[in-house]
Amino acid sequence: MDRTALDPMTARARDLDARAELRATRARFRLPAGVIYLDGNSLGALPDSVPAAIAEVTTQEWGERLIRSWNEAGWWEAPLRVGDQVGRLVGAAPGQVVVTDSTSVNLFKLMVGAARLRPGRTLVLTDPDSFPTDLYLAHSVARLLDLELRRVSPTDAVAAIAEAADSLALAAFSHVDYRTGERWDLAGITAAAHRVGALVCWDLCHSAGAMEVGLDEAEVDLAVGCGYKYLNGGPGAPAFAYVAERHQAVFDQPLPGWTGHARPFAMTAGYVPAPGIARLRSGTPPLLSLLALEAALGAFDGVSPAGLRRQSLSLTTLFIEAVDALEQSLEVVTPREPDRRGSQVSLRHPDAFAIVQALIARGVIGDFREPDLIRLGFAPLYVTHADAVQAARQLGEVLDSGEFRRPEFSHRGAVT
Amino acid sequence: MDRTALDPMTARARDLDARAELRATRARFRLPAGVIYLDGNSLGALPDSVPAAIAEVTTQEWGERLIRSWNEAGWWEAPLRVGDQVGRLVGAAPGQVVVTDSTSVNLFKLMVGAARLRPGRTLVLTDPDSFPTDLYLAHSVARLLDLELRRVSPTDAVAAIAEAADSLALAAFSHVDYRTGERWDLAGITAAAHRVGALVCWDLCHSAGAMEVGLDEAEVDLAVGCGYKYLNGGPGAPAFAYVAERHQAVFDQPLPGWTGHARPFAMTAGYVPAPGIARLRSGTPPLLSLLALEAALGAFDGVSPAGLRRQSLSLTTLFIEAVDALEQSLEVVTPREPDRRGSQVSLRHPDAFAIVQALIARGVIGDFREPDLIRLGFAPLYVTHADAVQAARQLGEVLDSGEFRRPEFSHRGAVT
């Protein structure tokens, strides 16, 4: 590439960063020196508030107050309290989101519950390119409840939903494709499902914390999402589940546990679900992980989902422009139309795996997805425009120099 | 009571503590000053090693190394690695225990998987006095798979199993009753189930970390247990699941997630379960909570399950003797025969709730279980014989003085 091609963009990036609405939020994170972190769509960075919060939970709440902290420290209410905080970021009024279990387990609860809300309907539609867990669990639910699982791209979802008509129980899609970064039409698909009397379940793993989702506004029925990507809750942070208020009173989920009982401490043999979203609770939640997520959500203080979206699009737009300026044989897989773009940019290259390794060696951390995708996430709270241009510059140098062909970059470990 | 009645026992307790096989392990815990903690059967105390371990995981592994820690820090293997550590304490050879999810979720996975191992058999036996979650989930599984759930006391389990004969798919019981502290005949009930070709699933929440369980020796098929009671993993620490090696290759569980796939990073649409116990994995595990449990298990270094059991029985035996010496109207509900006793002592009294509150006000922390039980746990790693006698003395004073009748001790909050 022309090594000066990105120079004007570097100056522009600096200017954009200085004027950015979210210019103050990067300081809320601890980012390692010398690293441009573009993998917050896989594991969000560490918010500065978390270490002290977890030390307090561990040494004081657990160590000193012991069992009393269930009452005194608000442990019991944490899944709903943190749920409401997540709710604000995904456009859900209080009382509709619970933080508990993993995305996988929550999906199972919601899909079974959805089918039970639509007895007699036997079809479930989902995306063949969904995150694997979503497909495996949809298959498991279909098998347990004797449903038919039909796979259709979200591109064709509205037509497929209309065709399925009153056989359709549930349309279950991801808001943003984890591989390509394409954002699907949540409101349009939801409305189509409602026109035939079906329900929707949206997987928000790649949108919660990075953009507006507008669950209530779109009248979404059910949603799940994870706590450790754009929400920055830490590795394996518990996930969240949303059930619209109008469905809660009769929502009948398959993992009833004592913490979701109407009178949990009566310890009765018969299950009576708690009113409201609390009935989605099953066993005891992992509090260190859950309270780390609560502390992490403080990094969103004063930030609106619309502000996140503006910053995210500004970052990805600039990055795509910089990639174009490289004049390399990289296909930008993520849609260029802002409306169809999530908060990541995926690039296709036959040597994607080695290129990602070479970038990591240079301190630009993204990830690889089979078979040929370089996946770079732009977490709006802490990635800067300068990062975006600098990452493109490093990418250009990796390709120009051919250094990605070094043997050490082609070795594939068990985990990539 | 005669206020001198316990004096000789205090001296004996001191002597027993000085000679105890586990006299060094109490120093591995941070226990608050002025507290006798007899609620480790609900939330284990904080091991001294945990705060530093969690700080390292948070600031270094997550904060500095970020996504790379999945490989570098052994996050990926943690559920199986910690599983093997738990396995040692419950008599399971390596490769049969995974730490993941909650007890509730794991029970669901194992009960569905068990029914699928015994197609055509339609009966599940369980204890009407099991922990509520166990009953709720057994009911949910029976409903999903069209099974019949029959409730029978473990006392009558062997006869009921023989009678059920080849209609029995699964016998699911708790090793120790969470209310009464009665320990059931794990080996005998397991053998009875095997005689009719059925499987067993044991809930070890109140035995793992406090006694020998001997899963492999008794040829148990399936088991679950929690990480935050006698294993001291912290509030809501992830639970464990055991599947005997002989069942693993065909074990078919209903919550298939990408982390349990044979090739998790291939991200294929079809589910191929991993070989071995890894197929019990579903979503991403809560790593802060999981790695706190791993650090906590270091408190068992050099300690055998048999040693735990000896200490536990020595403590509960002395405590029962001290309660007898009080000559109060307290019924010792927990069996006096050591073989039939878990690691807690439950006392019945019509004012149990208020007595527990009055004891807590004196720094003796136990808990109350409906309708009339004072429940006191004796965690063998950190409760001393001196604690046991002192707790009995405080109990005697609470009863003698009538202070438990004060209004502030009768108020019941949401969580007790």
Side-chain angles (χ1 to χ4, degrees), chain A residues 73 78 87 110 114 164 167 173 185 223 306 351 363 367 389 411:
Chain A
L110 294 194
S167 69
F173 291 99
D185 179 9
D351 293 307
D367 63 26
V389 174
H411 172 72

Side-chain angles (χ1 to χ4, degrees), chain B residues 117-137:
Chain B
L117 284 174
R118 290 294 180 269
R121 292 174 174 240
T122 57
L123 187 64
V124 174
L125 283 181
T126 191
D127 178 359
D129 292 322
S130 254
F131 189 72
T133 282
D134 299 46
L135 296 174
Y136 308 156
L137 286 162

